Amino acid sequence: MPSHITKAVIPAAGLGTRFLPATKAMPKEMLPVVDKPAIQYVVEEAVSAGLRDVLMVTGRNKNALENHFDRVAELEATLEAKGDLAKLQRVTESTDLADIHYVRQGDPKGLGHAVLRARMHVGDEPFAVLLGDDLIDSRDTLLSRMIEVQGQRNATVVALLEVDPAQIHLYGAAAIEATEEDDVVRITGLVEKPSPESAPSNYAVIGRYVLRPEVFDVLENTAPGKGGEIQLTDALQHLAASETDGGVYGVVFRGRRYDTGDKIDYIKAIVQLACERGDLGEELRPWLRDFVATVGD
Ligand code: G1P
């Protein structure tokens, strides 16, 4: 079934306090992962899944983010005059990537509230939500698979990853039932950031969602939950429990994911991605091996 999904929503209004002072004057989405801002990987992922219409939900101090996806005539002219076409291409790549729109979340009241800010732009169609802290390797086609499952089942679809039970308190956790497809489960319940003892499973929601527009009405009526914020997980729990609206399914991801949400994971993501890069890996890998041999515990 051909997909009719064309829109991606990327919430990007967070304050990035875990990365202070780097994020004092710069949005966390602009932190470089090797040599590209984290947000560019996410937009590239949306575009690879066929979603060229991208809405970013931003907030205060996000000008650098908007500028990154705009032309920089002066810089382009200088590189062109020098004949440095490789660098020119690196500059224009983010400008030509997608059709990017912005809406502001004036009063950041949580992820559910950020998604609700997309209502006007999205209208009455299914759409994808991509969270910038999770990067999915470009060789893994998670989002395309989720869009396919959404089309086949006309349901709400989230990405799930099996995590160490000790880590489940960092995520939305899903109660699941198997389906006839190995990588698809039916979600019967969702809890935002449960304690390991109360978690329904160790299947964590990672930051990719393909939602039906019905979620907006549910979000309108979702009371603040964990942390006093309007949680997308709570709205999805409502949809999972309701008899109508097609239910909620999880696509179980078994590919490569890089978490950039906190400092240690961010450093790991950079090392992993750099090691795999054609232009850097060959030099970095042996260095890293030697370096690791010299560091004690
Ligand atoms: C958000 C969601 C959570 C999800 C996580 C994935 O939490 O609320 O359900 O598991 O993203 O990264 P955050 O990490 O923004 O606190």
Side-chain angles (χ1 to χ4, degrees):
M1 191 188 300
S3 156
H4 55 303
I5 301 185
T6 56
K7 290 175 184 163
V9 173
I10 305 180
L15 297 175
T17 51
R18 278 185 276 193
F19 287 90
L20 282 169
T23 50
K24 187 177 170 192
M26 184 180 75
K28 74 164 175 175
E29 293 78 9
M30 287 301 293
L31 288 173
V33 178
V34 188
D35 52 6
K36 259 193 291 192
I39 190 81
Q40 189 173 333
Y41 290 87
V42 181
V43 175
E44 285 171 354
E45 184 191 336
V47 171
S48 313
L51 315 180
R52 282 203 86 256
D53 180 329
V54 174
L55 177 73
M56 288 195 195
V57 186
T58 67
R60 293 169 64 79
N61 292 332
K62 298 287 178 171
N63 295 352
L65 201 158
E66 301 188 9
N67 291 342
H68 182 69
F69 293 98
D70 280 351
R71 291 233 101 83
V72 201
E74 243 175 62
L75 178 60
E76 288 174 32
T78 309
L79 291 171
E80 214 166 339
K82 277 196 196 160
D84 195 340
L85 300 184
K87 288 212 181 88
L88 179 63
Q89 202 253 332
R90 299 290 285 161
V91 170
T92 53
E93 174 172 270
S94 59
T95 326
D96 300 334
L97 198 53
D99 188 5
I100 303 189
H101 307 264
Y102 300 91
V103 63
R104 287 181 58 141
Q105 187 186 9
D107 182 13
K109 289 195 278 198
L111 177 59
H113 180 251
V115 171
L116 196 47
R117 297 290 298 133
R119 184 172 205 163
M120 284 284 274
H121 183 84
V122 166
D124 197 23
E125 307 165 15
F127 63 104
V129 174
L130 294 86
L131 306 188
D133 285 350
D134 291 299
L135 304 186
I136 302 295
D137 196 288
S138 57
R139 292 163 292 185
D140 294 316
T141 52
L142 171 64
L143 191 57
S144 304
R145 175 67 181 138
M146 292 172 70
I147 291 171
E148 182 180 55
V149 172
Q150 200 286 327
Q152 285 161 350
R153 298 183 185 259
N154 193 21
T156 297
V157 179
V158 306
L160 294 177
L161 180 75
E162 248 192 294
V163 299
D164 182 335
Q167 298 293 309
I168 196 72
H169 69 282
L170 300 170
Y171 299 93
I176 59 169
E177 279 173 2
T179 69
E180 66 293 351
E181 289 181 285
D182 168 57
D183 64 334
V184 181
V185 292
R186 198 173 84 81
I187 294 182
T188 56
L190 281 160
V191 194
E192 179 68 4
K193 305 200 172 112
S195 64
E197 308 77 57
S198 65
S201 78
N202 63 330
Y203 281 84
V205 176
I206 51 170
R208 299 292 179 274
Y209 308 80
V210 182
L211 304 174
R212 293 181 15 151
E214 287 78 2
V215 75
F216 293 126
D217 276 342
V218 179
L219 282 168
E220 293 274 13
N221 295 301
T222 299
K226 196 107 192 173
E229 298 188 337
I230 298 173
Q231 297 291 350
L232 180 58
T233 304
D234 294 344
L236 299 181
Q237 156 60 22
H238 180 92
L239 290 171
S242 93
E243 295 291 309
T244 52
D245 299 330
V248 181
Y249 287 82
V251 167
V252 180
F253 183 58
R254 300 190 178 99
R256 290 151 286 201
R257 162 186 176 253
Y258 312 97
D259 184 352
T260 62
D262 69 21
K263 270 181 256 188
I264 196 81
D265 287 328
Y266 171 70
I267 294 165
K268 288 182 197 167
I270 292 175
V271 173
Q272 278 175 287
L273 282 162
C275 278
E276 301 216 2
R277 280 260 299 249
D279 57 340
L280 302 170
E282 209 176 309
E283 199 177 327
L284 184 61
R285 286 189 303 265
W287 176 85
L288 195 59
R289 228 173 275 130
D290 290 349
F291 176 69
V292 168
T294 65
V295 274
D297 279 331

Coordinates of all heavy atoms in Angstrom, one line a residue, residues 18 111 131 133-134 170-173 191-193 204-207 209 231-233 257, ligand 1:
R18 N 21.3 19.3 30.3 CA 22.3 18.3 30.6 C 23.6 18.6 29.9 O 24.7 18.0 30.3 CB 21.8 16.9 30.1 CG 20.9 16.3 31.1 CD 20.5 14.9 30.7 NE 19.4 14.9 29.8 CZ 18.7 13.9 29.5 NH1 18.9 12.7 30.0 NH2 17.6 14.0 28.7
L111 N 6.5 16.8 26.0 CA 6.5 16.3 24.7 C 5.1 16.3 24.0 O 4.9 16.6 22.9 CB 7.1 14.9 24.7 CG 7.2 14.1 23.4 CD1 7.9 14.9 22.3 CD2 7.8 12.8 23.6
L131 N 12.3 12.2 17.6 CA 12.9 12.9 18.7 C 14.4 13.0 18.4 O 15.0 12.0 18.0 CB 12.7 12.2 20.0 CG 11.2 12.0 20.4 CD1 11.1 11.5 21.8 CD2 10.4 13.3 20.2
D133 N 17.1 13.2 20.2 CA 18.1 12.6 21.1 C 18.4 11.2 20.6 O 19.5 10.7 20.9 CB 17.6 12.5 22.5 CG 17.6 13.8 23.3 OD1 18.2 14.7 22.7 OD2 17.0 13.8 24.4
D134 N 17.6 10.6 19.8 CA 17.8 9.3 19.2 C 18.3 9.4 17.8 O 17.5 10.0 17.0 CB 16.6 8.4 19.3 CG 16.2 8.1 20.7 OD1 17.0 7.4 21.4 OD2 15.1 8.4 21.1
L170 N 14.1 5.2 32.2 CA 14.5 6.4 31.4 C 13.5 6.5 30.2 O 13.6 7.5 29.4 CB 15.9 6.2 30.8 CG 17.0 6.1 31.9 CD1 18.3 5.7 31.2 CD2 17.1 7.4 32.7
Y171 N 12.6 5.6 30.0 CA 11.8 5.5 28.8 C 10.3 5.3 29.1 O 10.0 5.0 30.2 CB 12.3 4.3 27.9 CG 13.7 4.3 27.5 CD1 14.7 3.7 28.2 CD2 14.0 5.0 26.3 CE1 16.0 3.7 27.8 CE2 15.4 5.0 25.9 CZ 16.3 4.3 26.6 OH 17.6 4.3 26.2
G172 N 9.5 5.5 28.0 CA 8.2 4.9 28.1 C 8.3 3.4 27.9 O 9.1 3.0 27.0
A173 N 7.6 2.7 28.7 CA 7.7 1.2 28.6 C 6.3 0.6 28.1 O 5.3 1.1 28.5 CB 8.0 0.6 30.0
V191 N 3.5 3.0 29.9 CA 3.8 3.7 31.1 C 5.0 4.6 30.9 O 6.0 4.1 30.5 CB 4.1 2.8 32.3 CG1 4.0 3.6 33.7 CG2 3.2 1.6 32.4
E192 N 4.9 5.9 31.3 CA 6.0 6.7 31.1 C 7.0 6.6 32.3 O 6.6 6.7 33.5 CB 5.6 8.2 31.0 CG 6.7 9.3 30.9 CD 7.4 9.2 29.6 OE1 7.1 8.4 28.7 OE2 8.4 10.0 29.4
K193 N 8.2 6.3 32.0 CA 9.3 6.2 32.9 C 9.0 5.4 34.2 O 9.0 6.0 35.3 CB 9.9 7.6 33.2 CG 10.3 8.3 31.9 CD 11.2 9.4 32.1 CE 11.7 9.9 30.7 NZ 11.3 11.2 30.3
A204 N 11.3 -0.6 25.5 CA 11.3 0.9 25.6 C 10.9 1.6 24.3 O 11.2 1.1 23.2 CB 12.7 1.4 26.0
V205 N 10.1 2.6 24.5 CA 9.7 3.4 23.3 C 11.0 4.3 23.0 O 11.5 5.0 23.9 CB 8.5 4.4 23.6 CG1 8.2 5.3 22.5 CG2 7.3 3.5 24.1
I206 N 11.5 4.1 21.8 CA 12.5 5.1 21.4 C 11.9 6.2 20.5 O 10.8 6.0 20.0 CB 13.7 4.4 20.7 CG1 13.3 3.4 19.6 CG2 14.5 3.6 21.7 CD1 14.4 2.9 18.7
G207 N 12.6 7.2 20.3 CA 12.0 8.4 19.8 C 11.5 8.5 18.3 O 11.8 9.4 17.6
Y209 N 7.8 7.8 16.2 CA 6.3 7.5 16.3 C 5.7 7.8 14.9 O 6.1 8.7 14.2 CB 5.7 8.5 17.3 CG 6.3 8.6 18.6 CD1 7.5 9.4 18.8 CD2 5.8 7.9 19.7 CE1 8.1 9.5 20.1 CE2 6.4 8.0 21.0 CZ 7.5 8.8 21.2 OH 8.1 8.9 22.4
Q231 N 2.4 14.3 28.7 CA 3.2 13.2 28.1 C 2.5 12.6 26.9 O 1.4 12.2 27.0 CB 3.4 12.1 29.2 CG 4.2 12.6 30.4 CD 5.6 12.9 30.1 OE1 6.1 12.6 29.1 NE2 6.3 13.5 31.1
L232 N 3.3 12.4 25.8 CA 2.8 11.7 24.7 C 2.5 10.3 25.0 O 1.5 9.7 24.6 CB 3.9 11.8 23.6 CG 3.6 11.1 22.2 CD1 2.3 11.7 21.6 CD2 4.7 11.3 21.3
T233 N 3.3 9.7 25.9 CA 3.1 8.3 26.3 C 1.7 8.1 26.9 O 1.0 7.1 26.7 CB 4.2 7.9 27.4 OG1 5.4 8.1 26.8 CG2 4.0 6.5 27.8
R257 N 21.3 2.2 17.0 CA 20.8 3.5 17.5 C 21.9 4.2 18.3 O 22.6 3.5 19.0 CB 19.6 3.1 18.4 CG 19.2 4.3 19.3 CD 18.1 3.8 20.2 NE 17.8 4.8 21.2 CZ 18.1 4.8 22.5 NH1 18.8 3.8 23.0 NH2 17.7 5.7 23.3
Ligands
G1P1 C1 10.8 10.8 25.7 C2 9.5 10.1 26.0 C3 9.7 8.7 26.4 C4 10.6 8.0 25.3 C5 11.9 8.8 25.1 C6 12.7 8.2 24.0 O1 11.5 11.0 27.0 O2 8.7 10.8 26.9 O3 8.5 8.0 26.5 O4 10.9 6.7 25.8 O5 11.6 10.1 24.8 O6 13.9 8.8 23.8 P1 12.7 12.0 27.2 O7 13.9 11.2 26.8 O8 12.5 13.1 26.3 O9 12.7 12.4 28.6

